[in-house]
Amino acid sequence: MKNALTTNPSVLKWIEEKVALTQPDNILWIDGSEEQLEALRAEGCSTGELQKLNEEKLPGCYLHLSALNDVARVEGRTFICSEKEEDAGPTNHWMAPDKAYALLENIARGAYKGRTMYIIPYSMGPVGSPFAKYGIELTDSIYVVLSMAIMTRMGKEVYAALGDSNDWVRGLHCKCDIDEEKRYICHFPQDNTIISVNSGYGGNVLLGKKCFALRIASNLGRQEGWLAEHMLILGLENTEGKTTYIAAAFPSACGKTNLAMLIPPEIYREKGYKVWCVGDDIAWMRIGADGRLWACNPENGFFGVAPGTNMKSNPDALISTQKNTIFTNVVHNLDDNTVWWESMDKNPPKNAENWKGEKWDCTDGSKGAHPNSRFTAPAKNCPCVSSEFDSPAGVPISAIVFGGRRAKTAPLVYQSRDWNHGVFVGSIMASETTAAATGAVGVVRRDPMAMLPFCGYHMGDYFAHWIEMGKKLGENAPKIFNVNWFRTDDEGNFVWPGFGDNLRVLEWIVRRCENNADAKETAIGYVPFAEDINLDGLKDFDIETLKTILEVDKDLWRAEIDGIAEFYAKFGNKLPATLEAEFATLKNNLK
Ligand code: OXD
Ligand code: MN
């Protein structure tokens, strides 16, 4: 092929097939150079796909507005196209691969006519590291190219690392007409292939992220003996300069980015505590040569939810967005050509356009930014990015934390009795839904390990894989915890202050990992003694209030049993006996 950046036969063959299918007018091999990216930014601005923001206030930043019908992931149109339906399992939508390929090829046929095919080589994980997996995404969207340049390690060095190997993930994205009725996000685990059509929204089209790093990678992890998880990774440095790494899974829009970049309360800062961000959304975890679990963030940037991000909730995330960032569906401040979103500050712009590109009056009660508006920011912009961010070996994980948004039931924190009980705790995770996916907001849904929309195979097999990993890790297995920052009082107000004060809970978790704190055994696991959570310097919050959110209310837990039983019933004989046994223990403990 003309100007090809690789001679890899499997890559060339696949691209030739896709060129014949989509029929682009032009083909551009993305090499990752700043020059090429700059030319694409200029082109994106000339077509209106992007708007250049104020170079002095937001250098290198752009605004992108999506189509009105294309603002979130579409779980109902996301398919796992494994050969057998039972391999996709009851929590995924399945389509037979032949049927899916035929349907998608019909949609993609001629889809690039009059357009350019961009060929993006990218790596998930540092190029050449033991974690790295390579992918090629074909797209007709400049927004996708520029976002992939932020979110992944992208460029021609990927071809050098790949050599002639056939071990890479194929990704085809076609914007088409952004027709909701013809929108499909399909995964073919047996072919390491992803095809996404009729969308331009990040979660559906930045194929390295959810599609590859979770749905395809969870399949690869199962085959190869590692874990691909919807988890942030943070390092908590203590007074002595020792850093303990924690991986934590929360459903979408439950504050993973905030926790990953937590600013410790003043009394901790004074003592030298610091949180270092390794990742805010995805963790790939492998057993290292020392037998411990090591984690790497396969991404290179943050695709964060904008509303709610402010100098108080997450200053480092806000600072991360101040240069070389792409904003999607936020408010455009026309006075100084910057951006704004709800709760960024108390000064909504007077002369502005909302996420729909319409003139916006901030006093009319309507929201200016879409609730799922996003920023795509380079991880290296983050003031608290970990020095281990690019470490080829990853970081050793001491604790795994699960969490959800539950107004009642789950206490502030509890620890599982052991790994298998921890897998049970993760498997029964439940949360009230948010705006990150289409559908009703505020409904409780079971979201095991926060992987419900992202596990690319049968969830029963996934639980079994976790149990297997525990066997291999043995004594070295990280301790497993569950947290809930979202308990509310009778008036519906959050009880726990959250944000930076979550460090007080992380500190207890680290002490438990070091056998340095006691705990009370309850029906659901180990709960802290209130005295062991440090409340120093916390205003308007006393130990009695803390006790109310550490409480394990057996009646509320008994009310969970039917929901768990109903959820577990979906997995039939694929539910590991170990989890059945853990469930029986819980029921027994609640008697
Ligand atoms: C995300 C999500 O965008 O989980 O990270 O939806
Ligand atoms: Mn996520």
Side-chain angles (χ1 to χ4, degrees), residues 551-575:
E551 206 174 46
V552 177
D553 181 331
K554 280 198 178 181
D555 285 338
L556 286 175
W557 277 93
R558 273 186 218 112
E560 285 281 288
I561 285 179
D562 287 351
I564 299 172
E566 197 185 314
F567 185 62
Y568 266 14
K570 288 187 181 183
F571 306 115
N573 60 9
K574 290 250 189 192
L575 184 75

Tab-separated table of all heavy atoms in Angstrom, residues 551-575:
chain	number	residue	atom	x	y	z
A	551	GLU	N	-22.452	1.154	60.727
A	551	GLU	CA	-23.404	0.156	61.199
A	551	GLU	C	-23.780	-0.841	60.094
A	551	GLU	O	-23.960	-0.451	58.942
A	551	GLU	CB	-24.663	0.925	61.582
A	551	GLU	CG	-25.523	0.292	62.602
A	551	GLU	CD	-26.622	1.290	62.949
A	551	GLU	OE1	-27.202	1.863	61.997
A	551	GLU	OE2	-26.855	1.506	64.133
A	552	VAL	N	-23.878	-2.094	60.484
A	552	VAL	CA	-24.368	-3.100	59.539
A	552	VAL	C	-25.781	-3.461	59.990
A	552	VAL	O	-25.956	-4.122	61.014
A	552	VAL	CB	-23.454	-4.340	59.536
A	552	VAL	CG1	-23.999	-5.420	58.611
A	552	VAL	CG2	-22.034	-3.938	59.138
A	553	ASP	N	-26.747	-2.983	59.258
A	553	ASP	CA	-28.140	-3.197	59.643
A	553	ASP	C	-28.602	-4.524	59.040
A	553	ASP	O	-28.803	-4.638	57.829
A	553	ASP	CB	-28.968	-2.009	59.116
A	553	ASP	CG	-30.431	-2.116	59.492
A	553	ASP	OD1	-30.924	-3.260	59.641
A	553	ASP	OD2	-31.077	-1.072	59.640
A	554	LYS	N	-28.755	-5.518	59.914
A	554	LYS	CA	-29.075	-6.861	59.413
A	554	LYS	C	-30.386	-6.889	58.635
A	554	LYS	O	-30.519	-7.643	57.667
A	554	LYS	CB	-29.134	-7.849	60.578
A	554	LYS	CG	-27.765	-8.310	61.040
A	554	LYS	CD	-27.920	-9.585	61.857
A	554	LYS	CE	-26.569	-10.111	62.293
A	554	LYS	NZ	-26.659	-11.349	63.053
A	555	ASP	N	-31.350	-6.041	59.045
A	555	ASP	CA	-32.629	-6.036	58.321
A	555	ASP	C	-32.436	-5.586	56.878
A	555	ASP	O	-32.971	-6.184	55.949
A	555	ASP	CB	-33.642	-5.109	59.012
A	555	ASP	CG	-34.178	-5.748	60.272
A	555	ASP	OD1	-34.108	-7.002	60.354
A	555	ASP	OD2	-34.635	-5.012	61.161
A	556	LEU	N	-31.626	-4.515	56.723
A	556	LEU	CA	-31.379	-4.030	55.359
A	556	LEU	C	-30.637	-5.090	54.544
A	556	LEU	O	-30.904	-5.292	53.363
A	556	LEU	CB	-30.558	-2.739	55.391
A	556	LEU	CG	-31.302	-1.480	55.841
A	556	LEU	CD1	-30.346	-0.295	55.951
A	556	LEU	CD2	-32.416	-1.154	54.854
A	557	TRP	N	-29.708	-5.772	55.175
A	557	TRP	CA	-28.950	-6.811	54.454
A	557	TRP	C	-29.834	-8.004	54.101
A	557	TRP	O	-29.701	-8.572	53.024
A	557	TRP	CB	-27.708	-7.239	55.249
A	557	TRP	CG	-26.593	-6.272	54.983
A	557	TRP	CD1	-26.289	-5.162	55.714
A	557	TRP	CD2	-25.669	-6.298	53.885
A	557	TRP	NE1	-25.234	-4.491	55.135
A	557	TRP	CE2	-24.834	-5.172	54.011
A	557	TRP	CE3	-25.476	-7.147	52.802
A	557	TRP	CZ2	-23.816	-4.878	53.112
A	557	TRP	CZ3	-24.462	-6.876	51.892
A	557	TRP	CH2	-23.645	-5.747	52.046
A	558	ARG	N	-30.756	-8.327	55.022
A	558	ARG	CA	-31.674	-9.438	54.710
A	558	ARG	C	-32.502	-9.073	53.479
A	558	ARG	O	-32.787	-9.906	52.630
A	558	ARG	CB	-32.604	-9.725	55.895
A	558	ARG	CG	-31.979	-10.688	56.871
A	558	ARG	CD	-32.956	-11.091	57.970
A	558	ARG	NE	-32.222	-11.195	59.212
A	558	ARG	CZ	-32.342	-10.387	60.267
A	558	ARG	NH1	-33.220	-9.406	60.258
A	558	ARG	NH2	-31.589	-10.558	61.329
A	559	ALA	N	-32.830	-7.779	53.392
A	559	ALA	CA	-33.623	-7.333	52.236
A	559	ALA	C	-32.828	-7.433	50.928
A	559	ALA	O	-33.400	-7.408	49.842
A	559	ALA	CB	-34.091	-5.891	52.455
A	560	GLU	N	-31.510	-7.537	51.025
A	560	GLU	CA	-30.670	-7.673	49.825
A	560	GLU	C	-30.712	-9.088	49.263
A	560	GLU	O	-30.396	-9.322	48.093
A	560	GLU	CB	-29.193	-7.407	50.177
A	560	GLU	CG	-28.832	-5.964	50.408
A	560	GLU	CD	-28.660	-5.214	49.105
A	560	GLU	OE1	-27.665	-5.432	48.399
A	560	GLU	OE2	-29.554	-4.413	48.793
A	561	ILE	N	-31.038	-10.042	50.169
A	561	ILE	CA	-30.853	-11.449	49.806
A	561	ILE	C	-31.610	-11.842	48.537
A	561	ILE	O	-31.045	-12.480	47.643
A	561	ILE	CB	-31.224	-12.359	51.001
A	561	ILE	CG1	-30.070	-12.260	51.999
A	561	ILE	CG2	-31.453	-13.802	50.580
A	561	ILE	CD1	-30.243	-13.062	53.248
A	562	ASP	N	-32.851	-11.378	48.442
A	562	ASP	CA	-33.641	-11.768	47.265
A	562	ASP	C	-33.018	-11.216	45.993
A	562	ASP	O	-32.973	-11.895	44.964
A	562	ASP	CB	-35.081	-11.261	47.382
A	562	ASP	CG	-35.848	-12.070	48.412
A	562	ASP	OD1	-35.300	-13.098	48.873
A	562	ASP	OD2	-36.968	-11.645	48.772
A	563	GLY	N	-32.542	-9.976	46.091
A	563	GLY	CA	-31.914	-9.344	44.918
A	563	GLY	C	-30.674	-10.110	44.489
A	563	GLY	O	-30.446	-10.325	43.294
A	564	ILE	N	-29.873	-10.531	45.457
A	564	ILE	CA	-28.651	-11.286	45.127
A	564	ILE	C	-29.049	-12.630	44.509
A	564	ILE	O	-28.499	-13.045	43.480
A	564	ILE	CB	-27.765	-11.508	46.381
A	564	ILE	CG1	-27.319	-10.168	46.972
A	564	ILE	CG2	-26.555	-12.387	46.048
A	564	ILE	CD1	-26.610	-10.262	48.321
A	565	ALA	N	-30.030	-13.296	45.146
A	565	ALA	CA	-30.443	-14.619	44.657
A	565	ALA	C	-30.940	-14.508	43.214
A	565	ALA	O	-30.592	-15.317	42.346
A	565	ALA	CB	-31.534	-15.191	45.555
A	566	GLU	N	-31.716	-13.450	42.953
A	566	GLU	CA	-32.261	-13.256	41.605
A	566	GLU	C	-31.123	-13.013	40.603
A	566	GLU	O	-31.103	-13.560	39.499
A	566	GLU	CB	-33.181	-12.039	41.653
A	566	GLU	CG	-34.133	-11.923	40.498
A	566	GLU	CD	-34.902	-10.607	40.606
A	566	GLU	OE1	-35.387	-10.278	41.720
A	566	GLU	OE2	-34.976	-9.902	39.598
A	567	PHE	N	-30.157	-12.202	41.032
A	567	PHE	CA	-29.035	-11.896	40.152
A	567	PHE	C	-28.194	-13.146	39.905
A	567	PHE	O	-27.844	-13.472	38.766
A	567	PHE	CB	-28.189	-10.787	40.803
A	567	PHE	CG	-27.059	-10.302	39.939
A	567	PHE	CD1	-27.322	-9.707	38.715
A	567	PHE	CD2	-25.741	-10.440	40.349
A	567	PHE	CE1	-26.282	-9.246	37.911
A	567	PHE	CE2	-24.702	-9.992	39.548
A	567	PHE	CZ	-24.971	-9.392	38.324
A	568	TYR	N	-27.912	-13.862	40.972
A	568	TYR	CA	-27.103	-15.081	40.842
A	568	TYR	C	-27.797	-16.142	39.975
A	568	TYR	O	-27.135	-16.911	39.280
A	568	TYR	CB	-26.808	-15.651	42.236
A	568	TYR	CG	-25.480	-15.195	42.839
A	568	TYR	CD1	-24.772	-14.119	42.301
A	568	TYR	CD2	-24.936	-15.854	43.940
A	568	TYR	CE1	-23.568	-13.715	42.857
A	568	TYR	CE2	-23.722	-15.450	44.494
A	568	TYR	CZ	-23.047	-14.386	43.947
A	568	TYR	OH	-21.848	-13.990	44.485
A	569	ALA	N	-29.130	-16.167	40.041
A	569	ALA	CA	-29.871	-17.199	39.287
A	569	ALA	C	-29.589	-17.091	37.789
A	569	ALA	O	-29.609	-18.082	37.060
A	569	ALA	CB	-31.364	-17.065	39.563
A	570	LYS	N	-29.269	-15.869	37.338
A	570	LYS	CA	-28.980	-15.661	35.904
A	570	LYS	C	-27.814	-16.506	35.415
A	570	LYS	O	-27.698	-16.791	34.235
A	570	LYS	CB	-28.540	-14.212	35.674
A	570	LYS	CG	-29.592	-13.193	35.780
A	570	LYS	CD	-28.999	-11.871	35.340
A	570	LYS	CE	-30.051	-10.800	35.463
A	570	LYS	NZ	-29.619	-9.520	35.004
A	571	PHE	N	-26.891	-16.819	36.332
A	571	PHE	CA	-25.655	-17.463	35.884
A	571	PHE	C	-25.759	-18.977	35.833
A	571	PHE	O	-24.834	-19.653	35.367
A	571	PHE	CB	-24.472	-17.020	36.772
A	571	PHE	CG	-24.350	-15.522	36.832
A	571	PHE	CD1	-24.541	-14.829	38.011
A	571	PHE	CD2	-24.094	-14.814	35.674
A	571	PHE	CE1	-24.468	-13.449	38.044
A	571	PHE	CE2	-24.019	-13.427	35.697
A	571	PHE	CZ	-24.210	-12.742	36.881
A	572	GLY	N	-26.888	-19.507	36.311
A	572	GLY	CA	-27.134	-20.945	36.244
A	572	GLY	C	-25.948	-21.730	36.765
A	572	GLY	O	-25.336	-21.360	37.769
A	573	ASN	N	-25.574	-22.799	36.010
A	573	ASN	CA	-24.498	-23.651	36.522
A	573	ASN	C	-23.105	-23.051	36.298
A	573	ASN	O	-22.105	-23.650	36.635
A	573	ASN	CB	-24.590	-25.067	35.938
A	573	ASN	CG	-24.474	-25.029	34.426
A	573	ASN	OD1	-24.164	-23.980	33.857
A	573	ASN	ND2	-24.725	-26.159	33.785
A	574	LYS	N	-23.055	-21.859	35.744
A	574	LYS	CA	-21.746	-21.190	35.600
A	574	LYS	C	-21.374	-20.425	36.869
A	574	LYS	O	-20.274	-19.878	36.959
A	574	LYS	CB	-21.769	-20.216	34.433
A	574	LYS	CG	-21.822	-20.880	33.097
A	574	LYS	CD	-20.509	-20.691	32.360
A	574	LYS	CE	-20.628	-21.177	30.935
A	574	LYS	NZ	-19.318	-21.256	30.300
A	575	LEU	N	-22.300	-20.333	37.814
A	575	LEU	CA	-21.946	-19.631	39.054
A	575	LEU	C	-21.017	-20.531	39.867
A	575	LEU	O	-21.385	-21.644	40.225
A	575	LEU	CB	-23.199	-19.303	39.869
A	575	LEU	CG	-22.883	-18.477	41.117
A	575	LEU	CD1	-22.593	-17.030	40.730
A	575	LEU	CD2	-24.016	-18.542	42.119
